[in-house]
Amino acid sequence: MDGDPNFRLKAFAVIACVLGVFLVAFVAQRVWYWMKTRRREDVDTSRVEPIIDFGLLGVGLLVIWMAIEALVLSVLTSSLQVQPRERQKIAEIEVGKLDEETNQLNLLFYPVDRAGRRLSGQRRPVLTSGQEFELIVEVTQWRGAWTWLGEGGFYQFISLGGFGNGATPEKTTLEPKVLPRTAGATLFLRKPMHWEVREPCEEGDVYNIYLNPATGALEVEQQPG
């Protein structure tokens, strides 16, 4: 389960699907048997109860739908990072050359693993303007009744760019994945929220970005020189 943060969600989908299929098959079997034996006097058969049987049929179909939505959601969120339960480092931003004449700002963005080590293979260079950097992260939380399905919410990096000095710098998109707001996704997940952090830049500095679920914010710390 540690290797798959969606384990409980997938297990729920399988169990719910089995339960839903059982309810639908149970009702179908009752109706089929009643239709076959209703005119036979030598067979003692139970009468169909429309309210109960159609109610069970509706519940079964609803449970199957929830199972399908849960399975689709587990696939869509498999590439997202799981939100830590405690304050945790999620990225590093290294400030490259800062040209005050052209107001050009060169940033290097590094996601990190759970141990806080740089993922050099996912490095993203960002060239923008301004005297501060602005990082935007999207956080998606489980709805209260479904928090037990996951190890936490999900987060992904949205954009990184410059800010300040009266400039209107462009932002570099960090290739976020768009989660469709289907009925199933709305049932299980809250509406995504965007958290942002801004920090003045000094050439050569490296900044650690932390996600703190307790305060619901991003935090920045400069690495000691």
Side-chain angles (χ1 to χ4, degrees):
M1 184 169 65
D2 293 336
D4 187 357
N6 286 332
F7 175 83
R8 276 172 280 185
L9 182 60
K10 294 176 180 177
F12 168 80
V14 173
I15 295 172
C17 185
V18 171
L19 177 61
V21 170
F22 169 78
L23 291 175
V24 172
F26 174 74
V27 174
Q29 184 270 340
R30 272 177 52 84
V31 173
W32 178 84
Y33 185 74
W34 174 78
M35 292 181 64
K36 288 291 185 180
T37 60
R38 60 178 177 171
R39 292 193 176 94
R40 294 182 55 179
E41 297 181 356
D42 60 327
V43 176
D44 185 16
T45 181
S46 59
R47 298 179 58 186
V48 173
E49 300 290 344
I51 296 179
I52 297 177
D53 290 331
F54 282 106
L56 290 176
L57 180 62
V59 171
L61 293 175
L62 177 62
V63 172
I64 292 174
W65 171 78
M66 291 178 60
I68 295 174
E69 291 288 348
L71 185 59
V72 171
L73 187 62
S74 69
V75 174
L76 293 177
T77 58
S78 60
S79 62
L80 302 184
Q81 298 295 324
V82 177
Q83 180 181 345
R85 296 186 181 275
E86 299 178 351
R87 183 176 182 267
Q88 180 176 308
K89 179 180 174 182
I90 60 173
E92 288 185 12
I93 297 177
E94 182 176 342
V95 182
K97 184 177 181 180
L98 179 61
D99 192 333
E100 296 183 357
E101 294 183 1
T102 61
N103 200 30
Q104 288 292 308
L105 182 64
N106 185 17
L107 305 172
L108 288 177
F109 173 78
Y110 295 90
V112 300
D113 58 19
R114 289 193 174 186
R117 298 184 297 263
R118 288 183 178 183
L119 298 175
S120 300
Q122 299 181 28
R123 181 184 67 174
R124 289 292 302 272
V126 175
L127 182 62
T128 183
S129 58
Q131 295 181 335
E132 304 176 21
F133 68 76
E134 180 186 61
L135 175 67
I136 299 178
V137 176
E138 181 181 86
V139 178
T140 305
Q141 302 279 6
W142 291 96
R143 292 193 181 275
W146 303 106
T147 53
W148 58 276
L149 286 177
E151 298 181 8
F154 304 97
Y155 73 90
Q156 58 179 336
F157 303 104
I158 300 298
S159 65
L160 176 63
F163 189 83
N165 199 28
T168 56
E170 66 281 359
K171 298 178 181 179
T172 298
T173 301
L174 300 176
E175 300 180 0
K177 186 173 184 178
V178 179
L179 290 179
R181 297 304 296 170
T182 62
T186 304
L187 173 67
F188 291 107
L189 299 175
R190 299 180 188 272
K191 184 178 180 180
M193 299 181 298
H194 283 185
W195 294 354
E196 63 182 38
V197 64
R198 296 168 182 166
E199 184 74 14
C201 296
E202 294 291 340
E203 184 176 333
D205 286 346
V206 179
Y207 297 90
N208 297 329
I209 310 298
Y210 292 87
L211 185 61
N212 192 339
T215 60
L218 297 175
E219 300 174 0
V220 181
E221 286 186 3
Q222 182 179 346
Q223 289 187 8

